[in-house]
């Protein structure tokens, strides 16, 4: 429900309005927050969202959510981030929910929460169809649990925690009870049992989400929604840190690799069109300026030399950098048409060519598995060894890098304190037409511990690439045309 505070009219019990600049200013702030979380929202989408506010029932929060989503969201992957931000900017309530006060959390005679009875209460609500009145009851129960079980005292004062709320309840233990309730009146076939099992797990997951959303709302009222949005709202997969990326985010990136490849291809094509004009020929320009009194009115350009370069990738696929390398290999492989030839090499402590493994048959999530099973990239120890990999690359594939080659090396440059083989890298850089190193670690971490990044950076141009968005920007700028 959109309260008076949201419209910029504080009531007696709400001295500080949620939207001090009115509904239009609140919408602009919401759009800016979406941009900050990686959802590209332009002026036209903002105008559309403003039009939505004039036609939907502002007292119907879900209608408002769907209307703004239609105007502001362009891809399905953006919806979880949008929903998280919407819950912070258009909260379901301010302070403790009025309806939640009517929910009584079962307690023992000594005043402690009776976890067993609370589980029974929750199981009964989850067995029933969680829509309409049942959905409201679940929301009220979640709100009351957060109020009574989720409070704790932090360094900055009292706050709320979803973990604190659910740690004793452990709703996952209710799967069997929910299954028993759902199985009533159903056949005992394997299909029905599987449907019931998935339904039970999904309802528990949804309840957890309700508790987490309620927690974020209460915490945002205390420390500010902008601060909560930085850590409490799901980020876009393109902004996820490669070294801390989850499997779901990595899968989303793999699915979106073709889209990012199209973006890169268009940028490379634009750069190629500009490069066809050729560089300015200073000598010819000065000669032509003699007829205009020495003023170079007409610029003369050198005749461009068309030709697409070769591209070679040398990728570390060990440990935490495997996600970064595998995604980059997929991305560059999708750009094959932009180069005369693309060759991909992978290594842990041995290097091998894996170009042929990138075909139209293998699913994207199985590329890395095929590399480890079909290519010789792991030696005896199985730990990253950049020195051995560089020397093996130069020795076993001497024809890979030529004067027409653009060399991209992917990895965090952590050598496990082994010889980094700087001389071999210097020779590769000297032969190649272009040579760059893409590092998924933060630049402030270069040179710490067993990292040889700073030493390598003295030999080859090194760039920080911590996320897919940053990688796309760097690659589109560096790749030759």
């Amino acid at each position: 429900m959109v309260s008076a505070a949201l419209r910029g009219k504080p009531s007696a019990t709400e001295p500080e309005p949620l939207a001090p600049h009115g509904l239009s200013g609140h919408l602009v702030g919401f759009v800016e927050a979406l941009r900050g979380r990686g959802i590209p929202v332009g002026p036209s989408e903002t105008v559309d969202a403003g039009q939505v506010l004039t036609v939907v029932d502002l007292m119907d929060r879900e209608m408002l959510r769907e209307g703004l989503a239609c105007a502001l969201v362009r891809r399905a992957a953006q919806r979880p981030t949008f929903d998280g931000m919407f819950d912070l900017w258009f909260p379901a309530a301010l302070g403790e929910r009025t309806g939640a006060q009517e929910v009584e959390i079962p307690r023992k005679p000594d005043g402690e929460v009776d976890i067993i009875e609370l589980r029974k209460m929750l199981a009964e609500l989850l067995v029933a169809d969680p829509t309409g009145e049942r959905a409201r009851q679940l929301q009220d129960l979640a709100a009351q649990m957060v109020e009574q079980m989720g409070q704790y005292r932090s360094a900055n004062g009292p706050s709320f925690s979803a973990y604190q709320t659910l740690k004793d309840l452990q709703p996952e233990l209710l799967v069997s009870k929910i299954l028993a309730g759902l199985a009533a009146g159903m056949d005992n076939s394997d299909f029905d049992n599987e449907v019931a099992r998935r339904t039970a797990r999904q309802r528990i997951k949804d309840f957890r989400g309700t508790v987490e959303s309620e927690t974020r709302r209460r915490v945002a009222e205390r420390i500010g929604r902008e601060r909560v949005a930085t850590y409490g709202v799901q980020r876009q997969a393109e902004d996820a840190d490669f070294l801390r990326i989850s499997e779901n985010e990595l899968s989303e990136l793999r699915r979106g690799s073709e889209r990012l490849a199209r973006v890169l291809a268009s940028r490379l094509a634009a750069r190629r069109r500009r490069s066809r004009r050729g560089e300015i020929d200073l000598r010819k320009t000065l000669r032509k300026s003699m007829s205009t009194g020495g003023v170079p009115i007409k610029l003369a350009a050198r005749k461009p030399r068309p030709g697409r370069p070769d591209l070679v990738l040398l990728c570390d696929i060990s440990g935490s950098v495997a996600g970064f390398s595998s995604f980059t290999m997929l991305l560059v492989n999708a750009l094959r048409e932009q180069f005369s030839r693309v060759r991909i090499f992978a290594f842990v402590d041995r290097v091998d060519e894996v170009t042929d493994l990138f075909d139209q048959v293998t699913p994207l999530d199985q590329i890395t598995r095929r590399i480890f099973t079909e290519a010789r990239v792991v030696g005896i120890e199985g730990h990253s060894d950049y020195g051995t990999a560089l020397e093996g690359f130069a020795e076993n594939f001497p024809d890979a890098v030529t004067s027409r080659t653009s060399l991209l090396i992917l990895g965090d440059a952590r050598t496990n304190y082994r010889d980094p083989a700087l001389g071999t890298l210097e020779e590769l850089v000297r032969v190649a037409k272009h040579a760059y190193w893409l590092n998924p670690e933060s630049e402030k971490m270069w040179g710490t511990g067993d990292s040889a990044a700073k030493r390598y950076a003295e030999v080859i141009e090194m760039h920080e690439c911590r996320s897919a968005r940053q990688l796309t920007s760097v690659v589109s700028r560096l790749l030759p045309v």
Side-chain angles (χ1 to χ4, degrees), residues 126 174-176 178-179 182 194-206:
L126 293 178
L174 300 177
V175 171
S176 59
I178 300 175
L179 278 174
L182 293 175
E194 181 62 24
V195 170
R197 187 177 295 105
R198 294 189 181 187
T199 301
R201 291 174 178 170
Q202 184 61 45
R203 290 184 181 180
I204 290 174
K205 181 180 179 180
D206 292 343

Side-chain angles (χ1 to χ4, degrees), residues 142-143 145-154 157-168 208 211-219 222 231:
M145 287 173 56
V146 171
E147 178 69 25
Q148 298 187 22
M149 302 168 59
Q151 292 199 47
Y152 74 101
R153 183 162 292 278
S154 66
S159 187
F160 298 90
S161 167
Y163 170 77
Q164 180 79 13
T165 303
L166 297 172
K167 71 173 184 177
D168 294 327
R208 272 191 169 275
V211 172
E212 292 169 356
S213 178
E214 179 69 14
T215 303
R216 287 193 297 269
R217 180 183 71 83
R218 299 301 301 274
V219 173
R222 301 199 175 195
Y231 68 85

Side-chain angles (χ1 to χ4, degrees), residues 380-423:
I380 298 176
E381 296 186 5
H383 299 292
S384 293
D385 189 341
Y386 282 78
T388 301
L390 288 171
E391 291 174 348
F393 175 69
E395 179 181 353
N396 299 326
F397 305 96
D399 60 334
V401 178
T402 66
S403 59
R404 296 185 66 252
T405 300
S406 293
L407 175 64
L408 283 183
I409 301 178
L410 314 178
D412 58 6
R414 294 199 171 271
T415 62
N416 291 301
Y417 300 102
R418 297 171 179 173
D419 179 16
L422 294 175

Side-chain angles (χ1 to χ4, degrees), residues 129-137:
D129 185 14
T131 58
E133 182 65 19
R134 288 292 187 180
R136 187 189 64 80
Q137 292 177 359

